[in-house]
Amino acid sequence: MLPSDNIMIVDTHNHLTKWSPDAGQTFEEMMQAAAAQGLLGIAATDHYDIGSMTPYGAEWVIDLPAYYEDMYPRRRLPSERQPGDPPGFLYGIEVGYLPEHKDRLKALIADYPWDIAIISLHIINGHDPFHSPEKVYRPSLSDTYREILLSITESAAEMTGANIIGHYDYFARYAPQDRPKMLYRHAMCEFDDLFRLMIRNNQALEINTGTIWKLQQARGYTLEEAMPDAEVLHRYLELGGNLISLSSDAHYTANVGRLIPETCAWLLKQGITEYVWFESGKPFHGSFCPSSVDV
Ligand SMILES: [Zn+2]
Ligand SMILES: [Zn+2]
């Protein structure tokens, strides 16, 4: 029996200290944590954020050939995992979208044999929500989130090689409003347009437990309230979406698999029974095991 029969999940979005300057776990530490959490597999998807500067004053990008040489040989496909095997490992990247660099970003997604390429919006109109919230957030959450979803939709349209649209609700983490959770009703048309495009492009909708954790720990939501807006997911399904990926976006071992069992239990309650991961860009579907964890 696999040690992972409690949560047979592939965690599709994580970072390593060697490649992401904001991370603090080695490859070995992340794999140990994945085994301890009972994950079926885990991906390293380190940051590639042209246009952002690290705290050390360097551009926030990876040496891609060196990353390939280090990571690619370590791959162990979750789909081929046998009883007694350690968790699978996938080679990925999280690309931060900036329109002015889109050609360079498209090329790097095309140039390497990624299992998983995530496109994420970390910066909007040149501003970072963490460092310059006053330049990002408007008095109305609807206005802010409409603008953000338009940019995410642009990123999905431009980066057709990306398999996963990362943390659509990332900007909720730092919004100054008291109840910043991103809701379907904030931007109904924009959500619909994004989902229609993602479904056409076979791009997965990521549920990032980092946002759930942040809303619960720092923004005053209960765990149940911090879960994604059920209307967002129901609309995605209604439009025909069937690619939902799950990630803890762990930068440290303590965060590997964080809130994944609770989120799976919650998704099951919403009638969502399957999740997706990618190997060499090809989707694989897994189903949630019934879990004793309740939310
Ligand atoms: Zn991100
Ligand atoms: Zn990330």
Side-chain angles (χ1 to χ4, degrees):
M1 183 187 288
L2 292 173
S4 52
D5 67 349
N6 51 342
I7 29 171
M8 295 291 285
I9 295 297
V10 179
D11 184 335
T12 52
H13 175 168
N14 297 279
H15 300 272
L16 299 173
T17 189
K18 184 172 175 185
W19 302 104
S20 290
D22 57 346
Q25 61 182 347
T26 64
F27 171 80
E28 290 75 17
E29 288 167 345
M30 182 182 80
M31 295 311 294
Q32 271 174 18
Q37 290 295 317
L39 295 173
L40 176 61
I42 191 163
T45 54
D46 282 294
H47 287 294
Y48 197 96
D49 276 82
I50 300 173
S52 289
M53 301 302 277
T54 69
Y56 319 107
E59 197 179 26
W60 198 308
V61 295
I62 304 177
D63 177 343
L64 291 169
Y67 186 62
Y68 168 75
E69 277 177 34
D70 187 12
M71 292 288 116
Y72 195 79
R74 301 178 193 261
R75 290 170 78 235
R76 280 197 302 265
L77 300 179
S79 65
E80 295 177 3
R81 187 171 170 189
Q82 297 297 316
D85 285 352
F89 172 72
L90 296 170
Y91 161 68
I93 190 158
E94 181 184 16
V95 176
Y97 182 69
L98 277 188
E100 57 270 40
H101 295 298
K102 66 186 178 191
D103 292 333
R104 204 170 137 194
L105 300 177
K106 275 184 216 178
L108 77 88
I109 290 178
D111 283 351
Y112 290 87
W114 308 109
D115 288 306
I116 295 172
I118 302 171
I119 187 77
S120 290
L121 191 75
H122 295 129
I123 288 178
I124 186 156
N125 300 328
H127 301 300
D128 178 306
F130 180 72
H131 294 295
S132 312
E134 72 288 353
K135 303 225 171 69
V136 169
Y137 296 101
R138 305 196 194 181
S140 146
L141 280 176
S142 277
D143 289 344
T144 302
Y145 292 158
R146 278 197 203 111
E147 186 177 25
I148 283 159
L149 286 170
L150 285 175
S151 285
I152 294 176
T153 302
E154 180 190 316
S155 76
E158 293 288 353
M159 300 293 132
T160 51
N163 320 107
I164 294 177
I165 306 306
H167 49 51
Y168 72 90
D169 50 4
Y170 173 76
F171 283 74
R173 299 182 191 184
Y174 308 111
Q177 281 84 355
D178 280 343
R179 302 291 281 178
K181 178 167 138 175
M182 199 169 187
L183 305 175
Y184 179 65
R185 68 168 178 269
H186 284 137
M188 294 188 283
C189 295
E190 290 77 8
F191 267 118
D192 286 2
D193 288 346
L194 171 63
F195 290 160
R196 287 195 179 98
L197 178 75
M198 288 168 58
I199 291 163
R200 267 204 310 278
N201 288 353
N202 294 314
Q203 292 162 322
L205 176 67
E206 178 185 85
I207 306 298
N208 186 304
T209 62
T211 302
I212 298 168
W213 184 86
K214 187 85 177 172
L215 292 181
Q216 187 198 4
Q217 295 298 317
R219 307 307 309 264
Y221 287 87
T222 65
L223 180 56
E224 172 87 32
E225 291 170 343
M227 289 290 163
D229 181 23
E231 273 193 87
V232 168
L233 294 178
H234 290 155
R235 186 62 180 147
Y236 173 72
L237 299 176
E238 197 171 67
L239 291 170
N242 66 350
L243 302 176
I244 291 179
S245 65
L246 278 168
S247 75
S248 56
D249 201 353
H251 289 61
Y252 293 85
T253 50
N255 306 342
V256 170
R258 180 175 59 183
L259 295 180
I260 293 271
E262 292 85 348
T263 304
C264 291
W266 182 83
L267 287 168
L268 267 174
K269 276 197 205 166
Q270 309 307 312
I272 295 168
T273 56
E274 281 199 346
Y275 73 99
V276 71
W277 76 90
F278 295 85
E279 297 178 4
S280 299
K282 187 171 161 242
F284 283 77
H285 293 268
S287 50
F288 300 129
C289 294
S291 166
S292 58
V293 178
D294 204 11
V295 178

